[in-house]
Amino acid sequence: MSVNRLFRVGSVAVASLGVLALSACGSDPQPSGSSSPDSSTSSAGGECPKGTLNAEGSSAQKNAIEEVISKYNEKCADVTVNYNPTGSGAGIKQFNANQVDFAGSDSALKPDEMTAATKRCANNPAVDLPMVIGPIAIAYNVDGVSKLTLDGPTAAKIFQGSIKTWNDPAIAKLNAGVTLPSAPISVLFRSDESGTTENFTKYLKASGGGAWTGEPAKKWTGTGSGKEKSAGVAEGVKSTKNSITYVEWSYAVDNKLGVALIDNGSGTPVELSTDSAGKALVAAKPAGTGSDLALKLDYATKAPGAYPIILVTYEIACTKGLPAEKTALVKSFLNYFVSKDGQAALTDLNYAPLPAEIQTKVEAAIQAIS
């Protein structure tokens, strides 16, 4: 899988974001787990402390963070990193409840969540640190169909429940020459609160031409049957004929599911790839203030060759006031995650590495942790 183009495209995209001020913030008045401040030098990004780091959240980044943990432990063998992929909503709740040291979320903190996170951080702001780019696939398992094209309005009607069979005229119009079965469409959705759901419903709302009636949210409001986490919906489609779901791309690949091409209105259906996902970053704008590095994506982009359904997984952390042993652990692991080696570990898992400009800003934010 080639990522060179993504680096180039991402660099152009993020160059327009401007210089973001990076400052220290956050605290953890009640450390979780036990650790020791003893450390040793390592190429994992500076110091290798000893102890346990606990995190929870996005299941979309599960494959990515588990691979990074494995690589990190080759450098820092005395650090145990526990990551529980319970979903973005659960991760934020656990972080705000002071149960984990950082959280993974596929959407940046909302104002009420940031207020709670600030309180958790001893009245210092928390920050959203973009770490993983994970395109969202519309994944399917349809008898006799090896290539499927959808557009925003048609996808919205399928997931809303107003298109009920695979041979519906709206689907047939987008798939000339494809024999579509008359079978009912089985829609599977994330039953847990999910940043993937929120990002996907942002796409349906922005590009659906009014067909999606709900508001973007972590909790699903469309039709279908619920399955827990990314693995649940992917495995559900794999075992269910004539079914469809939305899921982070690596799960679709791992389960050998069909992935729909997206007609974004530019005239040519777009296949999901690192290149096409990177082109969608061109319209990204900064959404955070100060040291917060949240990004606003354009889900209705009509740029030629741009795959519009992408998510960014953020690691949410306090950057000031943690106990010394926790500070060392958080800095060491996140430094490795954002490093060249850490990001390179993602490419074989169908994740896209951070563009260079974002990577530099995240590195600076992590260095500000104290």
Side-chain angles (χ1 to χ4, degrees):
M1 178 177 65
S2 173
V3 297
N4 290 334
R5 291 188 197 173
L6 180 60
F7 271 106
R8 291 197 296 270
V9 173
S11 297
V12 173
V14 184
S16 65
L17 298 183
V19 177
L20 300 178
L22 298 169
S23 60
C25 66
S27 74
D28 182 358
Q30 298 179 7
S32 56
S34 62
S35 55
S36 165
D38 294 340
S39 61
S40 59
T41 302
S42 165
S43 59
E47 297 296 316
C48 270
K50 298 178 181 179
T52 298
L53 188 60
N54 296 308
E56 186 167 341
S58 165
S59 64
Q61 76 162 356
K62 173 181 180 291
N63 294 338
I65 198 169
E66 287 181 352
E67 178 68 12
V68 171
I69 289 170
S70 176
K71 297 293 186 183
Y72 171 73
N73 282 145
E74 294 176 5
K75 309 289 185 180
C76 293
D78 292 327
V79 180
T80 298
V81 183
N82 299 313
Y83 184 77
N84 191 6
T86 54
S88 298
I92 290 172
K93 289 176 181 177
Q94 289 292 84
F95 176 76
N96 288 343
N98 212 17
Q99 298 301 304
V100 294
D101 303 309
F102 71 89
S105 176
D106 303 327
S107 57
L109 292 171
K110 293 180 173 59
D112 60 329
E113 293 170 336
M114 181 62 82
T115 298
T118 299
K119 183 177 180 181
R120 179 260 196 269
C121 294
N123 297 320
N124 295 287
V127 288
D128 300 287
L129 303 174
M131 198 68 74
V132 179
I133 299 172
I136 301 172
I138 297 182
Y140 65 91
N141 176 4
V142 183
D143 275 338
V145 177
S146 59
K147 184 177 182 180
L148 179 71
T149 297
L150 297 173
D151 60 12
T154 305
K157 291 174 184 176
I158 290 172
F159 285 93
Q160 189 73 57
S162 56
I163 289 180
K164 300 180 182 298
T165 60
W166 281 108
N167 64 348
D168 187 276
I171 302 176
K173 184 178 180 180
L174 293 167
N175 293 275
V178 177
T179 301
L180 297 165
S182 60
I185 299 173
S186 295
V187 174
L188 301 182
F189 65 87
R190 287 282 297 274
S191 60
D192 54 318
E193 289 193 3
S194 164
T196 307
T197 296
E198 183 173 9
N199 281 275
F200 184 61
T201 53
K202 283 180 179 179
Y203 164 72
L204 297 178
K205 189 71 172 181
S207 65
W212 183 256
T213 59
E215 291 300 320
K218 290 184 177 71
K219 186 174 179 62
W220 182 251
T221 60
T223 191
S225 300
K227 300 287 185 181
E228 284 195 2
K229 306 182 181 62
S230 300
V233 292
E235 291 165 3
V237 169
K238 184 177 182 178
S239 62
T240 306
K241 289 291 187 183
N242 301 312
S243 60
I244 192 168
T245 194
Y246 57 94
V247 70
E248 201 279 326
W249 186 25
S250 69
Y251 286 86
V253 173
D254 289 347
N255 287 275
K256 298 180 172 58
L257 304 178
V259 174
L261 283 72
I262 300 299
D263 184 346
N264 70 2
S266 65
T268 303
V270 180
E271 182 178 358
L272 174 51
S273 68
T274 54
D275 184 42
S276 63
K279 288 180 180 178
L281 286 176
V282 171
K285 297 179 180 179
T289 58
S291 61
D292 189 47
L293 301 182
L295 299 173
K296 184 176 181 179
L297 305 175
D298 182 4
Y299 296 92
T301 180
K302 295 184 178 180
Y307 183 87
I309 323 174
I310 62 174
L311 63 80
V312 175
T313 295
Y314 301 90
E315 312 310 329
I316 297 168
C318 303
T319 59
K320 185 178 180 181
L322 290 169
E325 64 271 19
K326 287 297 183 180
T327 298
L329 289 164
V330 170
K331 289 189 72 170
S332 177
F333 178 69
L334 294 183
N335 265 325
Y336 183 77
F337 205 160
V338 77
S339 72
K340 181 179 178 181
D341 287 347
Q343 291 291 302
L346 308 183
T347 59
D348 291 336
L349 302 175
N350 296 297
Y351 295 93
L354 291 174
E357 282 76 8
I358 290 182
Q359 186 178 14
T360 299
K361 290 178 172 61
V362 175
E363 287 173 342
I366 295 168
Q367 288 302 319
I369 294 174
S370 63

